[in-house]
Amino acid sequence: MLVKAVESSSHSSPAFKLDKYDFVQTLFEDLRRNFRHSLFNRRVGVVGRRYSFKDCLIPNPENVLTVRTILKDRDSKPLIEELRALPNQQHLTHKARVEIETVKDSDIVFVDGVAVAFRRKGELAPVLTNTSALDALPRIIVDMGAVPHVVGGADIMAPGIRRVTGEFAEKQLLAVVDEKHGKYLAVGKALTGSGPLAAAKKGKVVENIHYVGDLIWEVIKPKGPASQSSN
């Protein structure tokens, strides 16, 4: 339709015929040039790379553009009190700068520029880089065969668990680590108490709510060459 409109334009001669292929190519090149100057082609800290025209043509839910918002005192102070209820977070003060960055269904909370926790469905949980909080949580130690599944977002199944340390109740937060290196793989929520969980031989026992490689991790992960220290 657009090609016909150009051919029938009063500015075109009667014998003018537009090559459809050349027309589409020219239109595409013009669009691509304009796109280079658009917002999507700026460097975005979330994924650490430059967006291209391909990202516009093929939507990818992993490429999430996010904005970090600084909270006002009336909003940050109650949130600080909630954060202080997490393990080993009593050092947080009301004078700190609190920011929120929303990724999909989660709000990541930063205190003085450091990721501390995330909120989902009204509940707070520590992020994987907040090792001071994770160190105080009960632990689920999984075998190495379970690692790819855990970091792929799968819930933790009883057969993959090697040991359980600490006592906890149903719905309590847990740290999931691998048996070989003791690395934090995920933050989970217990689907049963520590006693029944340790005795379970089959079935799902821990809900995986945050893991290495998820959207939250892509925002908070260390950007330098240093890796997560052993626990």
Side-chain angles (χ1 to χ4, degrees):
M1 183 178 294
L2 185 57
V3 172
K4 290 182 179 179
V6 173
E7 290 178 343
S8 61
S9 170
S10 59
H11 299 287
S12 303
S13 65
F16 176 77
K17 291 294 181 182
L18 184 65
D19 185 283
K20 295 180 181 179
Y21 177 81
D22 288 342
F23 178 77
V24 171
Q25 285 296 106
T26 302
L27 190 64
F28 178 85
E29 290 297 325
D30 184 67
L31 179 60
R32 187 170 61 179
R33 281 194 298 270
N34 289 334
F35 185 80
R36 288 173 182 168
H37 300 287
S38 71
L39 172 65
F40 294 98
N41 204 31
R42 297 177 184 174
R43 286 206 174 273
V44 180
V46 174
V47 294
R49 67 177 179 83
R50 187 175 289 276
Y51 276 74
S52 67
F53 189 71
K54 183 179 179 181
D55 295 301
C56 184
L57 292 177
I58 307 174
N60 184 349
E62 300 300 313
N63 297 337
V64 181
L65 296 173
T66 62
V67 176
R68 196 176 297 182
T69 304
I70 300 176
L71 298 186
K72 295 181 179 179
D73 286 348
R74 66 172 181 268
D75 298 316
S76 66
K77 289 180 179 180
L79 182 52
I80 286 290
E81 288 302 314
E82 289 187 74
L83 293 172
R84 285 168 57 87
L86 293 174
N88 291 337
Q89 302 306 295
Q90 292 74 29
H91 63 281
L92 300 177
T93 70
H94 292 156
K95 295 181 180 180
R97 184 181 78 256
V98 181
E99 299 167 285
I100 297 292
E101 188 165 336
T102 301
V103 179
K104 202 172 181 179
D105 60 349
S106 303
D107 290 334
I108 307 172
V109 184
F110 293 81
V111 178
D112 288 334
V114 178
V116 173
F118 70 96
R119 187 192 295 277
R120 184 183 300 148
K121 297 180 180 179
E123 298 183 3
L124 280 175
V127 294
L128 282 168
T129 51
N130 187 354
T131 54
S132 65
L134 298 184
D135 288 344
L137 293 179
R139 292 190 183 188
I140 302 295
I141 296 93
V142 298
D143 61 37
M144 299 308 292
V147 171
H149 302 286
V150 174
V151 299
D155 293 327
I156 289 75
M157 310 297 287
I161 296 177
R162 289 296 192 190
R163 298 191 309 279
V164 177
T165 63
E167 296 184 356
F168 50 87
E170 183 181 355
K171 297 183 179 180
Q172 188 171 336
L173 294 174
L174 308 171
V176 181
V177 304
D178 73 84
E179 65 172 339
K180 184 176 181 180
H181 305 289
K183 300 288 187 180
Y184 288 122
L185 304 175
V187 177
K189 184 182 293 186
L191 298 178
T192 184
S194 52
L197 190 150
K201 300 299 182 183
K202 62 180 180 179
K204 185 189 305 182
V205 291
V206 178
E207 179 187 359
N208 190 344
I209 64 172
H210 168 39
Y211 53 91
V212 172
D214 66 7
L215 292 179
I216 296 174
W217 176 257
E218 289 302 316
V219 174
I220 67 171
K221 66 182 179 182
K223 300 300 189 291
S227 59
Q228 187 182 23
S229 60
S230 298
N231 303 295

